[in-house]
């Protein structure tokens, strides 16, 4: 069974303001910090004009704990103040997962 079946996805879609100095460093730090959180399963991310990051979690409780992480809260505040023109966040339950080919 896939590790992404019967789990949750947090879908974060955003548009950056210009300039966005320090954003890339903070994004890298948040990804590294997320990987150390209990219940973290993985992450997919892409950014051009629009950024989409999907993180995967074992439970809603794990997502709540990640949201409450103090360093993550600081990044959230900086995002609202400095980096994001807008963002949208969705939390979804993944019931099944399929894939094809080499995902590397």
């Amino acid at each position: 069974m896939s590790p992404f079946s019967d789990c949750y996805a947090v879908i974060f879609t955003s548009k950056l303001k210009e300039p966005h100095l320090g954003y890339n460093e903070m994004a890298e730090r948040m990804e590294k910090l997320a990987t150390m959180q209990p219940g973290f399963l993985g992450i997919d991310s892409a950014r051009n004009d629009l950024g989409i990051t999907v993180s995967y979690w074992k439970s809603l409780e794990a997502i709540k704990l990640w949201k409450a992480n103090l360093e993550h809260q600081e990044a959230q505040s900086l995002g609202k103040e400095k980096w994001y023109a807008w963002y949208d966040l969705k939390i979804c339950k993944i019931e099944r997962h399929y894939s094809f080919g080499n995902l590397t």
Side-chain angles (χ1 to χ4, degrees):
M1 178 176 261
S2 165
F4 296 112
S5 294
D6 197 31
C7 69
Y8 292 87
V10 176
I11 304 168
F12 184 79
T13 308
S14 63
K15 172 81 171 162
L16 291 175
K17 297 177 190 175
E18 292 291 339
H20 48 277
L21 299 171
Y23 174 81
N24 291 333
E25 294 80 7
M26 182 63 83
E28 288 174 15
R29 173 67 187 138
M30 289 301 102
E31 183 172 341
K32 184 176 180 179
L33 185 61
T35 65
M36 296 185 282
Q37 301 306 301
F40 176 83
L41 298 173
I43 193 167
D44 295 318
S45 188
R47 176 163 292 286
N48 281 322
D49 187 46
L50 189 68
I52 301 175
T53 298
V54 183
S55 57
Y56 304 95
W57 302 87
K58 284 187 178 183
S59 67
L60 290 173
E61 183 62 27
I63 294 168
K64 288 178 190 174
L65 290 172
W66 170 235
K67 183 177 181 180
N69 177 286
L70 292 177
E71 198 171 341
H72 185 214
Q73 286 183 350
E74 180 183 345
Q76 291 171 53
S77 293
L78 287 170
K80 289 175 185 175
E81 293 169 21
K82 294 173 56 172
W83 296 314
Y84 296 119
W86 60 264
Y87 69 81
D88 182 70
L89 187 133
K90 298 171 185 77
I91 299 175
C92 308
K93 174 116 171 96
I94 299 173
E95 295 184 11
R96 284 188 280 314
H97 168 245
Y98 303 90
S99 61
F100 170 77
N102 186 352
L103 297 178
T104 59

